[in-house]
């Protein structure tokens, strides 16, 4: 048998596998709950950077503009808009964070919320002068902490992590002591998709008297999170990735209920104060999660997020995770068969227990290869220096998408 024939047989086998997996997928109905891809895109593999548009979002946005903004005008704030940050926060908490009501609020960007929480944590541990963070944490986390260290005269204690994996409990155990106020870490690594053992790391930090701030941007809506059960102090995360909130949709923050009275965030705006419309002298924070707010809530963006979130609420995070593992496992199988022989390295955990919702593949020429893929309508993303991330948002990605995307990648090699 010639080499071409063998290859085609192999392709057929995988194409059939993809078709069968799609037919048996309990979440296949959710694929129809998103607006169709534009005609120039054949496989969207970047739902971990910007989630697709859920059906119903356009209508909800248009209705909101017409009936709420246009119809209610300033009256809308008192009637309903003012409470959206909390009601939406509670919904995210219940659907994706394992957080009981009253501990999550939607605020500004992830960056700003991480800053507020990290500053509050540092101030809650007076006398402790160090923050533990790993070298491969997301850039904004590292930069914010550098800024806080400069501002507050404290020191960052860097844990060197393997970019193909991520932070381990042993590394944290070796880094915390009585000088450490705070450990900041990503639950799922944006680069490798490594799932950190959040429960173990949180317990280790607590034993040393430190607080923990989890960035859950890359896990929320894809990997189950149990903030209450893990005894997490603080967390923040993104809503435009697996939560499909749309470009620049606002982030959320979690503060464990028991600590809410003792944390004070540093941006003292009127909407976090006890009585904003008293316009009084002197800032006094209000009780509970609203004290995390600073200025006027991002209402328009929250409308889209509120609609998209229903799809996750109905699917359930456990079913989403099961499909996610099946999608990334299939991607790895195709990569082993088609790409590894071409010199591609797998830079994500092979153990599905430790692997989040994407798979990172590396080769020296992947920057150029990614550009060519985009030109042919296959859209993963590129992460410096040489990684292509194949992001598989479970609700909006089919096994056939994985097949088509990786077949195109193989063709480009
Ligand atoms: C996407 C992402 C962010 C984004 O922060 P923004 O303030 O929304 O730009 C932060 N942290 C992690 C881990 C992310 O994946």
């Amino acid at each position: 048998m010639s080499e071409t024939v063998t290859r085609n047989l192999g392709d057929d086998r995988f194409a059939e596998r993809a078709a069968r997996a799609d037919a048996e997928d309990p979440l296949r109905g959710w694929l129809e709950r998103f607006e169709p891809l534009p005609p120039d895109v054949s496989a969207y593999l970047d739902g971990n950077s910007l989630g697709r548009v859920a059906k119903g979002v356009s209508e909800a946005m248009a209705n909101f503009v017409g009936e709420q903004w246009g119809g209610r005008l300033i009256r809308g704030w008192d009637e309903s808009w003012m409470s959206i940050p909390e009601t939406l926060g509670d919904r995210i908490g219940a659907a994706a964070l394992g957080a009981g009501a009253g501990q999550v609020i939607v605020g500004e960007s992830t960056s700003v919320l991480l800053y507020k929480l990290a500053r509050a944590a540092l101030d809650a541990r007076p006398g402790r002068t160090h923050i533990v963070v790993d070298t491969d944490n997301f850039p904004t986390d590292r930069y914010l902490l550098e800024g806080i260290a400069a501002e507050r005269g404290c020191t960052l204690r860097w844990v060197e992590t393997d970019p193909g994996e991520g932070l381990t409990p042993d590394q944290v155990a070796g880094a915390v002591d009585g000088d450490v106020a705070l450990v900041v870490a990503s639950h799922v690594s944006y680069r490798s998709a490594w799932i950190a053992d959040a429960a173990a790391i949180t317990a280790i930090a607590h034993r040393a008297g430190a607080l923990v701030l989890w960035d859950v941007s890359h896990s929320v809506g894809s990997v189950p999170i149990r903030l209450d059960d893990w005894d997490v102090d603080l967390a923040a995360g993104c809503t435009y990735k697996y939560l499909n909130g749309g470009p620049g949709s606002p982030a959320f923050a979690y503060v464990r209920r028991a600590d809410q009275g003792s944390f004070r965030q540093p941006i003292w705006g009127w909407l976090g104060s006890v009585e904003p419309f008293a316009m009084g002298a002197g800032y006094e924070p209000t009780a509970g999660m609203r004290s995390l707010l600073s200025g006027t809530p991002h209402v328009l963006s929250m409308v889209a997020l509120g609609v998209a979130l229903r799809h996750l609420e109905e699917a359930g995070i456990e079913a989403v995770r099961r499909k996610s593992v099946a999608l990334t496992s299939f991607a790895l199988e195709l990569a082993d068969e088609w790409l590894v022989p071409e010199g591609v390295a797998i830079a994500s955990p092979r153990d599905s227990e430790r692997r989040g919702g994407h798979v990172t593949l590396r080769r020296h020429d992947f920057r150029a290869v990614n550009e060519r893929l985009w030109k042919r309508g296959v859209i993963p993303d590129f992460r410096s220096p040489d990684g292509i991330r194949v992001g598989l948002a479970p609700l909006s990605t089919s096994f056939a998408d994985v097949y088509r995307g990786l077949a195109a990648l193989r063709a480009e090699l």
Side-chain angles (χ1 to χ4, degrees):
M1 217 184 290
S2 79
E3 168 133 9
T4 348
V5 176
T6 324
R7 278 209 154 176
N8 286 342
L9 278 180
D11 290 357
D12 287 350
R13 177 165 57 93
F14 286 123
E16 277 164 28
R17 279 265 309 286
R20 195 161 1 104
D22 280 325
E24 290 168 358
D25 172 15
L27 294 179
R28 65 184 174 280
W30 270 257
L31 298 170
E32 307 299 318
R33 296 179 177 214
F34 292 85
E35 296 291 352
L37 288 172
D40 63 340
V41 173
S42 65
Y44 187 66
L45 306 176
D46 209 9
N48 60 319
S49 259
L50 180 66
R52 284 173 56 187
V53 186
K55 283 185 182 159
V57 165
S58 294
E59 296 78 356
M61 295 287 283
N63 284 343
F64 190 90
V65 170
E67 290 167 23
Q68 285 287 312
W69 181 6
R72 304 314 302 154
L73 290 167
I74 195 71
R75 298 170 291 182
W77 282 115
D78 287 340
E79 290 166 358
S80 61
W81 308 340
M82 208 48 110
S83 60
I84 302 178
E86 286 151 301
T87 51
L88 199 50
D90 281 346
R91 282 177 61 197
I92 297 170
L97 302 176
Q103 302 175 104
V104 181
I105 195 151
V106 178
E108 300 89 8
S109 67
T110 310
S111 300
V112 171
L113 291 178
L114 285 168
Y115 172 80
K116 290 179 172 184
L117 295 177
R119 269 285 312 267
L122 198 59
D123 293 345
R125 285 289 179 275
R128 292 182 176 234
T129 52
H130 286 65
I131 300 175
V132 170
V133 59
D134 77 271
T135 48
D136 206 37
N137 201 346
F138 193 81
T140 209
D141 302 57
R142 292 183 278 111
Y143 303 160
L144 286 165
L145 295 175
E146 284 177 30
I148 289 175
E151 181 184 34
R152 306 298 278 181
C154 65
T155 305
L156 300 187
R157 190 173 283 170
W158 293 98
V159 174
E160 196 74 45
T161 35
D162 176 347
E165 298 191 345
L167 191 65
T168 66
D170 283 349
Q171 287 174 318
V172 176
V176 290
D177 58 26
D179 290 333
V180 173
L182 176 68
V183 176
V184 180
S186 284
H187 181 217
V188 167
S189 157
Y190 80 102
R191 194 189 296 280
S192 69
W194 170 263
I195 303 178
D197 187 340
I201 288 172
T202 301
I204 289 165
H206 285 172
R207 278 200 291 279
L211 296 162
V212 186
L213 166 54
W214 285 101
D215 183 338
V216 297
S217 294
H218 250 85
S219 50
V220 65
S222 152
V223 175
I225 300 170
R226 308 234 44 97
L227 295 178
D228 287 353
D229 291 349
W230 298 339
D231 204 21
V232 164
D233 308 287
L234 303 159
C238 218
T239 62
Y240 48 79
K241 294 171 177 165
Y242 295 105
L243 296 185
N244 305 90
S249 62
F252 57 84
Y254 166 94
V255 179
R256 182 172 60 173
R257 185 184 302 284
D259 295 326
Q260 286 176 11
S262 53
F263 287 138
R264 182 174 274 210
Q265 61 91 357
I267 304 178
W268 296 3
W270 68 318
L271 280 185
S273 74
V274 68
E275 230 186 313
F277 294 95
M279 311 281 177
Y283 172 82
E284 190 193 330
T286 187
M289 288 307 289
R290 277 198 89 79
S291 67
L292 253 286
L293 295 183
S294 300
T296 304
H298 301 225
V299 171
L300 277 182
S301 295
M302 289 193 285
V303 172
L305 177 57
V307 172
L309 194 58
R310 276 188 221 134
H311 303 302
L312 174 65
E313 289 169 332
E314 285 170 30
I317 190 68
E318 297 297 336
V320 167
R321 171 64 177 159
R322 277 192 293 278
K323 179 167 177 188
S324 171
V325 169
L327 287 168
T328 54
S329 300
F330 187 48
L332 282 180
E333 208 182 320
L334 294 177
D336 278 331
E337 184 88 7
W338 292 344
L339 310 177
V340 170
E342 308 291 337
V344 172
I346 310 261
S348 290
R350 289 201 173 262
D351 175 6
S352 63
E353 293 270 307
R354 292 262 73 87
R355 187 177 68 242
H358 65 275
V359 169
T360 297
L361 307 169
R362 298 179 63 183
R363 204 172 84 161
H364 65 91
D365 59 347
F366 266 8
R367 185 187 296 274
V369 168
N370 191 61
E371 281 171 19
R372 298 204 296 274
L373 284 174
W374 278 40
K375 287 205 183 92
R376 45 152 98 200
V378 170
I379 318 276
D381 68 19
F382 176 77
R383 283 294 173 270
S384 190
D386 58 4
I388 284 182
R389 290 191 313 179
V390 179
L392 304 171
L395 293 180
S396 57
T397 307
S398 68
F399 291 86
D401 292 332
V402 178
Y403 175 85
R404 266 197 310 281
L406 291 195
L409 177 50
R410 176 182 60 165
E412 286 300 339
L413 301 185

